[in-house]
């Protein structure tokens, strides 16, 4: 199999607003990221994915870009960016950045010009439609119609919030501008892009009416607006114009691509280096995307989803694996539900986090960690909507109330799923504001920061942080198996146990066993050298491996 730096590298996602504030305004900044590079280096990180830092009115925390060539003042300026890129490079850490190319902010000058003058060439950059009636009944991801009226009989289209008008990729001049932006950043020294919402760029079915799905008469755009026929032409052109011949990586947020079609996206001549799969990250949600509609799922199902994803990707190319990101709730809460770190018991938190970590670092694909995952952060209890910032959470709260939930129920669903759970400021220390900022942070700090913070975990040798450090080291030391080896499920009857082998072309296999349940069990397992285990040494009884509650081991065979 072809080798590439991005297959072997460990990624770390940074949400700049919440990582580290250095200028005392309560908002994280680029200097803060720079200050914390040594922490990331020590953890073993090879590249950062930095979420949007461009100038933006921040209706969606930077996923509404007003200028792709400027840094938002709250994060610093271009000099800070240059310094960050330079310092990271000197430390051997690459940087990939988020590219939001499905839409801009309504404040982008293209959109402003388009609004001012119907004759402007920028009208073509967006999707304006003349119609007496709303042109179609697609529902935007953040609620309400995808169509927003602008003047008598004129509408524009937005997949997300109304402050995020969609770009019209059919317009060649717009595509040229997009390629210019990508090349500008590559020339500046970034090592690649995370492509936001990229499977929405081609419009098709959502421009026409579809079967209404609810009281509002709308139909979810996520059902009908993704991966539309013809999208490949745009994506191939983008690759040709910006990426071919460069040693850059691309990871696409690509919901809506069926496994059978993955080859086009991540095969040898695929559009991207890898894609994120949402199948198991969204296991807790019923179809339809409403947070009040939670899915009843089991560990057996989680296992099926993980292996279906792993096997499809393995057949067709390369994938990205993750358990958390800035749009997800914390994995402890998602996967252990009411047993999540048993409400503050640090030992349980250690076991649960390291079990998930062992699973993640055992899987095939480039591993992405999300800030705070290496500390075993949990969801943050939000008392009311006043404590929330996220546009999506506020919309979901409204949807729950409209669907007949009580306020308490709606708040519970939002607490379970809110994107703000993962966006709370990073707990660096047990001091005021968790050492994140001198000033009151823009979003509530998780109240457990005194007992769970980076400084404390750095000092304790048996912390979650040190375990993650070890997992990263192991993955690098055993790259023939853990990076390039094939993955093969080790099927077993125990519902709560996820187990698989990583088989290199040459050399010993590695077996991974992860018990996600809170009960001990015995499983059939060949004996071998224990590479890591969250209880210390693995324990065998005759021919069987004992898996204690939340125990995870990697065994070299
Ligand atoms: C996906 C991003 O991850 C999310 O945070 C954002 O709200 C939407 N795309 C819109 O850009």
């Amino acid at each position: 199999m072809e080798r590439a730096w991005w297959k072997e590298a460990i990624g770390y996602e940074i949400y700049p607003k919440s990582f580290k504030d250095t200028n005392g305004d309560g908002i994280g900044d680029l200097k803060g990221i720079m200050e914390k590079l040594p922490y990331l280096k020590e953890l073993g990180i090879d590249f950062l994915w930095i979420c949007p830092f461009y100038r933006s009115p921040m209706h969606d925390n930077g996923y509404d870009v007003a200028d792709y060539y400027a840094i938002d003042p709250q994060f610093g300026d271009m000099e800070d960016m240059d310094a960050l890129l330079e310092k990271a490079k000197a430390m051997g850490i690459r940087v990939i950045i988020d590219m939001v190319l499905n839409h801009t902010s309504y404040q982008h000058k293209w959109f402003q010009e388009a609004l001012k003058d119907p004759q402007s060439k920028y009208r073509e950059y967006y999707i304006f439609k003349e119609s007496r009636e709303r042109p179609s009944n697609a529902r935007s991801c953040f609620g309400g119609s995808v169509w927003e009226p602008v003047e008598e009989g004129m509408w524009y289209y937005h997949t997300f919030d109304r402050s995020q008008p969609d770009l019209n990729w059919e317009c060649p001049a717009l595509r040229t501008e997009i390629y210019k932006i990508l090349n500008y950043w590559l020339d500046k020294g970034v090592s690649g892009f995370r492509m936001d919402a990229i499977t929405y760029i081609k419009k098709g079915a959502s421009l026409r009416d579809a079967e209404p799905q609810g009281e509002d008469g709308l139909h979810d755009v996520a059902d009908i607006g993704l991966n539309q026929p013809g999208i490949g032409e745009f994506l191939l052109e983008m690759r040709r114009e910006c990426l071919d011949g460069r040693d850059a990586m691309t990871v696409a947020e690509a919901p809506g691509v069926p496994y059978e079609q993955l080859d086009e996206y991540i095969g040898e001549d695929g559009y991207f280096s890898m894609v994120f799969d949402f199948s198991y990250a969204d296991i807790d949600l019923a179809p339809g995307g409403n947070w009040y509609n939670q899915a009843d799922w089991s560990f057996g199902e989680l296992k099926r989803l993980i292996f279906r994803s792993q096997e499809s990707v393995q057949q067709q190319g390369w994938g990205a694996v993750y358990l958390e990101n800035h749009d997800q709730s914390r994995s402890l809460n998602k996967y252990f539900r009411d047993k999540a770190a048993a409400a503050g018991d640090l030992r349980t938190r250690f076991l649960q986090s390291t079990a998930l970590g062992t699973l993640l670092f055992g899987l095939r694909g480039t591993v992405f960690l999300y800030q705070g995952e290496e500390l075993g952060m949990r969801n943050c209890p939000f008392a009311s909507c006043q404590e929330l910032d996220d546009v999506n959470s506020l919309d979901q709260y409204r949807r729950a109330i409209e669907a007949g939930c009580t306020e308490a129920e709606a708040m519970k669903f939002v607490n379970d799923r809110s994107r703000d759970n993962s966006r709370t400021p990073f707990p660096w220390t047990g001091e005021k504001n968790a050492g994140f900022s001198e000033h009151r942070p823009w979003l509530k700090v998780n109240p457990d920061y005194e007992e769970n913070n980076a400084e404390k975990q750095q000092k304790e040798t048996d912390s979650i942080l040190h375990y993650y450090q070890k997992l990263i080291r192991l993955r690098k030391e055993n790259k023939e198996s853990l990076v390039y080896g094939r993955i093969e499920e080790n099927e077993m009857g125990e519902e709560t146990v996820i187990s698989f082998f990583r088989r290199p072309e040459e050399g010993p296999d590695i077996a991974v066993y992860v018990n996600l349940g809170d009960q001990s069990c015995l499983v059939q397992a060949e004996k071998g050298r224990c590479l890591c285990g969250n209880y210390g040494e693995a324990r065998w009884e005759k021919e069987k491996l004992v898996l204690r509650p939340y125990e995870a081991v990697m065994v070299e065979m």
Side-chain angles (χ1 to χ4, degrees):
M1 183 206 302
E2 214 187 306
R3 302 192 165 215
W5 67 265
W6 39 266
K7 292 186 178 172
E8 298 176 16
I10 307 293
Y12 188 94
E13 181 189 351
I14 291 186
Y15 204 64
K17 255 187 132 166
S18 297
F19 199 54
K20 172 71 188 165
D21 172 24
T22 61
N23 65 0
D25 62 356
I27 299 172
D29 45 51
L30 297 179
K31 283 202 172 86
I33 301 177
M34 192 148 81
E35 184 184 309
K36 295 299 180 185
L37 287 174
Y39 166 84
L40 298 166
K41 186 71 192 169
E42 202 180 319
L43 180 57
I45 297 306
D46 302 299
F47 71 91
L48 310 178
W49 149 22
I50 308 181
C51 293
F53 45 75
Y54 316 97
R55 195 164 66 70
S56 161
M58 300 286 162
H59 288 294
D60 187 15
N61 282 332
Y63 284 92
D64 44 333
V65 180
D67 185 349
Y68 294 93
Y69 298 101
I71 309 292
D72 194 88
Q74 58 181 235
F75 296 134
D77 56 25
M78 201 50 97
E79 258 176 49
D80 295 335
M81 180 45 101
D82 290 336
L84 171 60
L85 289 174
E86 200 179 313
K87 179 147 187 230
K89 186 170 179 201
M91 292 174 74
I93 298 178
R94 295 177 189 254
V95 174
I96 72 163
I97 60 175
D98 224 309
M99 265 298 156
V100 190
L101 303 174
N102 174 67
H103 46 270
T104 66
S105 159
Y106 70 107
Q107 283 191 10
H108 196 287
K109 72 167 190 290
W110 299 335
F111 192 69
Q112 288 301 316
E113 290 296 321
L115 280 186
K116 256 196 278 166
D117 174 10
Q119 301 314 317
S120 149
K121 68 172 189 182
Y122 296 112
R123 274 264 156 143
E124 273 294 297
Y125 280 31
Y126 294 89
I127 300 163
F128 283 92
K129 195 146 191 160
E130 211 174 336
S131 168
R132 256 192 303 155
E133 318 251 289
R134 186 182 67 201
S136 74
N137 71 340
R139 184 190 301 112
S140 73
C141 292
F142 295 161
S145 166
V146 295
W147 294 102
E148 190 68 17
V150 268
E151 60 208 47
E152 191 61 32
M154 188 57 88
W155 308 72
Y156 74 86
Y157 181 104
H158 60 92
T159 301
F160 294 92
D161 189 57
R162 66 161 72 91
S163 65
Q164 296 164 294
D166 277 35
L167 289 166
N168 175 21
W169 277 66
E170 305 293 340
C171 167
L174 179 263
R175 297 206 302 279
T176 304
E177 291 281 5
I178 287 179
Y179 306 149
K180 210 170 102 193
I181 294 166
L182 293 174
N183 282 317
Y184 167 84
W185 283 100
L186 286 168
D187 292 343
K188 205 177 231 319
V190 306
S191 292
F193 305 108
R194 178 262 186 186
M195 299 285 188
D196 184 72
I198 200 77
T199 37
Y200 278 111
I201 60 170
K202 177 86 185 179
K203 313 304 177 210
S206 63
L207 301 176
R208 300 180 290 276
D209 272 345
E211 187 68 25
Q213 280 172 322
E215 296 287 286
D216 59 4
L218 302 177
H219 191 114
D220 205 355
V221 68
D223 282 351
I224 48 177
L226 286 164
N227 190 32
Q228 293 294 295
I231 189 173
E233 283 163 39
F234 297 151
L235 297 177
L236 278 180
E237 183 182 80
M238 175 169 78
R239 209 193 70 183
R240 246 190 347 259
E241 295 293 324
C242 312
L243 297 152
D244 283 353
R246 301 207 194 227
D247 190 24
M249 71 104 110
T250 48
V251 53
E253 188 191 35
V257 180
Y259 288 126
E260 309 82 74
Q261 208 194 331
L262 266 184
D263 183 47
E264 286 170 36
Y265 276 77
I266 55 167
E268 219 172 297
D269 292 316
Y271 315 138
F272 303 108
S273 314
M274 60 189 103
V275 293
F276 288 122
D277 178 358
F278 291 90
S279 61
Y280 46 98
D282 286 340
I283 192 170
D284 56 330
L285 285 184
N290 288 313
W291 295 352
Y292 61 80
N293 224 340
Q294 299 189 338
D296 191 19
W297 60 273
S298 64
F299 286 131
E301 163 133 30
L302 176 63
K303 228 185 312 194
R304 272 191 299 283
L305 291 175
I306 290 179
F307 290 116
R308 197 182 63 179
S309 165
Q310 287 275 300
E311 279 153 19
S312 317
V313 172
Q314 169 158 275
Q315 275 164 23
Q316 303 176 70
W318 192 256
V321 289
Y322 69 98
L323 295 174
E324 293 189 5
N325 68 32
H326 68 280
D327 290 332
Q328 299 286 332
S329 48
R330 291 288 181 180
S331 54
L332 286 183
N333 297 79
K334 185 185 299 167
Y335 296 112
F336 298 107
R337 292 177 273 198
D338 53 337
K339 301 214 168 88
D345 164 14
L346 290 182
R347 172 74 184 150
T348 311
R349 187 197 292 237
F350 171 82
L351 291 172
Q352 291 177 341
S353 305
T354 51
L356 290 178
T358 312
L359 169 65
L360 181 64
F361 282 88
L363 292 175
R364 182 178 177 279
T366 300
V367 177
F368 283 76
L369 279 180
Y370 176 74
Q371 64 185 49
E373 190 174 357
E374 76 281 16
L375 302 178
M377 283 188 77
R378 286 184 303 165
N379 280 354
C380 178
F382 295 104
S384 72
C385 284
Q386 273 73 55
E387 289 188 339
L388 294 167
D389 167 85
D390 171 30
V391 43
N392 195 16
S393 302
L394 297 169
D395 177 56
Q396 289 281 352
Y397 180 84
R398 190 187 49 76
R399 288 195 213 184
I401 296 287
E402 271 172 26
C405 298
T406 63
E407 285 177 16
E409 285 164 344
M411 209 51 221
K412 151 105 177 64
F413 294 126
V414 168
N415 264 307
D416 284 348
R417 249 288 161 176
S418 176
R419 310 195 298 177
D420 281 341
N421 279 309
S422 57
R423 299 176 180 186
T424 57
F426 192 99
W428 290 105
T429 68
E431 285 151 29
K432 190 174 156 217
N433 301 328
F436 162 75
S437 172
E438 300 282 310
H439 191 271
R440 182 154 177 250
W442 69 282
L443 185 66
K444 183 174 170 179
V445 176
N446 195 314
D448 68 3
Y449 72 92
E450 282 177 7
E451 58 174 28
N452 196 44
N453 59 66
E455 188 179 59
K456 187 158 176 266
Q457 293 209 26
Q458 278 172 317
K459 286 190 191 137
E460 292 163 358
T461 48
D462 54 355
S463 60
I464 301 169
L465 179 65
H466 284 290
Y467 194 90
Y468 271 74
Q469 213 170 17
K470 180 170 177 182
L471 286 169
I472 293 176
R473 221 175 36 238
L474 264 182
R475 187 144 169 130
K476 292 185 176 167
E477 288 165 3
N478 295 278
K479 75 173 186 209
E480 292 309 318
S481 43
L482 290 178
V483 176
Y484 292 109
R486 293 186 59 74
I487 187 162
E488 189 184 305
E489 183 178 2
N490 178 16
E491 281 181 53
M492 48 182 58
E494 285 299 335
E495 159 107 2
T496 63
V497 179
I498 300 187
S499 175
F500 50 89
F501 302 108
R502 297 299 308 274
R503 303 197 190 279
E505 281 192 1
E506 279 172 39
D509 289 355
I510 289 179
V512 180
Y513 302 89
V514 181
N515 180 14
L516 294 175
D518 59 353
Q519 302 294 314
S520 291
C521 55
L522 281 176
V523 298
Q524 201 70 42
E526 217 177 287
K527 274 197 185 149
R529 184 165 74 93
C530 180
L531 295 176
C532 75
N534 57 359
Y535 275 78
E537 273 304 308
R539 189 199 285 170
W540 264 271
E541 275 178 17
K542 302 215 172 99
E543 290 311 301
K544 299 213 157 168
L545 175 65
V546 184
L547 289 174
R548 290 156 278 192
Y550 311 119
E551 180 158 9
V553 287
M554 276 194 196
V555 181
E556 186 183 79
M557 292 163 37

